[in-house]
Amino acid sequence: MRDKQARPRVLVVEDESAIRDGVVTALSDEGCVVEGRADGSTLGADLTGFRPDLVVLDVMLPGRDGLALAGDVRRAGDAGIVVLTARDAVPDRLAGFGAGADDYLVKPFAMAELVARVRAVLNRRGRWPGAVEVGDLVVDEPAGSATRAGAALELTATELRLLGYLVGNRGRTVSKTQILTQVWGYEDYDPNLVEVHVSALRRKLEVHGPRLVHTVRGLGYTVRA
Ligand code: CA
């Protein structure tokens, strides 16, 4: 296992240079080591040479498409995969998860959203160095700990994963389906499962201060101090 303080390595395969350059810059600014490619022709060499912790894959690429490449990434090791799809290409999204993608973004997307998704996937895999802070809450998911106002929170493993996913996406609203997919690994569970765990998490968080995990009615949840 790699040193968790090492900078995360991200490979970006996107033929549209403006998007590729934007993603490379945004993730570099977050402290990642990033390489950009216009197609998947060097993917095999990149997986063994650059050894990315996460690969951002556009679906529509010259040569082999992003979903075929996702299969290669999944077979080669345990790198995270975030797929970029065209607007409303629902079959692409479903195929993306079938091909082993951890998450997807629909174009056009805000760079802040891409960064949040990448951070959440890396965090969940223990590849995001250090702790994430929201107000007086500090979540160090790789270290398996969380504190609020300096007090250690006694969280179950599921609650810590849930909290880690929520704070990894701070500033965004995440749906119950996204939470089921990302925290439980499958989207077909009962959404009440999410509500039950959010309630339990809130009880533990709110012993130490005001509400942090907010309900966005009809959409899901967001974390903000
Ligand atoms: Ca493309």
Side-chain angles (χ1 to χ4, degrees):
M1 179 142 173
R2 207 172 283 181
D3 177 355
K4 76 173 189 198
Q5 294 305 322
R7 296 167 70 195
R9 303 167 74 81
V10 181
L11 181 69
V12 180
V13 186
E14 163 63 84
D15 57 318
E16 291 173 65
S17 60
I19 297 177
R20 183 176 66 244
D21 293 348
V23 171
V24 168
T25 300
L27 293 174
S28 298
D29 287 349
E30 287 290 310
C32 298
V33 179
V34 192
E35 293 278 343
R37 303 284 184 258
D39 59 48
S41 59
T42 61
L43 182 70
D46 289 327
L47 290 174
T48 53
F50 179 59
R51 294 190 303 118
D53 296 305
L54 184 141
V55 184
V56 177
L57 288 170
D58 183 31
V59 171
M60 295 297 289
L61 290 168
R64 299 180 67 226
D65 71 29
L67 300 180
L69 298 177
D72 290 358
V73 173
R74 191 46 70 236
R75 280 187 292 276
D78 63 348
I81 300 172
V82 174
V83 166
L84 309 178
T85 77
R87 181 195 293 270
D88 295 334
V90 173
D92 277 358
R93 298 185 212 175
L94 298 176
F97 283 110
D102 295 286
D103 207 348
Y104 63 85
L105 276 153
V106 177
K107 294 178 175 180
F109 52 84
M111 281 302 159
E113 188 169 4
L114 174 107
V115 167
R117 302 289 184 94
V118 166
R119 184 163 48 206
V121 171
L122 287 169
N123 206 345
R124 221 159 38 79
R125 290 165 175 270
R127 303 283 181 79
W128 190 266
V132 180
E133 296 182 28
V134 178
D136 60 359
L137 174 70
V138 181
V139 182
D140 192 339
E141 202 185 350
S145 66
T147 63
R148 183 159 194 205
L153 301 173
E154 301 285 331
L155 303 181
T156 66
T158 301
E159 288 165 355
L160 182 65
R161 272 206 312 282
L162 172 61
L163 185 59
Y165 180 64
L166 291 170
V167 300
N169 286 281
R170 62 194 180 283
R172 295 181 55 239
T173 299
V174 290
S175 69
K176 289 176 191 171
T177 301
Q178 285 174 309
I179 292 171
L180 284 170
T181 305
Q182 296 299 314
V183 176
W184 277 269
Y186 196 60
E187 63 187 279
D188 287 348
Y189 290 123
D190 185 346
N192 288 331
L193 189 65
V194 177
E195 290 168 27
V196 167
H197 281 79
V198 166
S199 294
L201 191 54
R202 279 175 171 160
R203 278 196 294 277
K204 293 180 180 181
L205 289 170
E206 292 169 17
V207 168
H208 305 285
R211 177 146 295 185
L212 290 174
V213 180
H214 302 271
T215 300
V216 183
R217 201 160 294 283
L219 293 176
Y221 299 99
T222 189
V223 167
R224 91 180 155 262

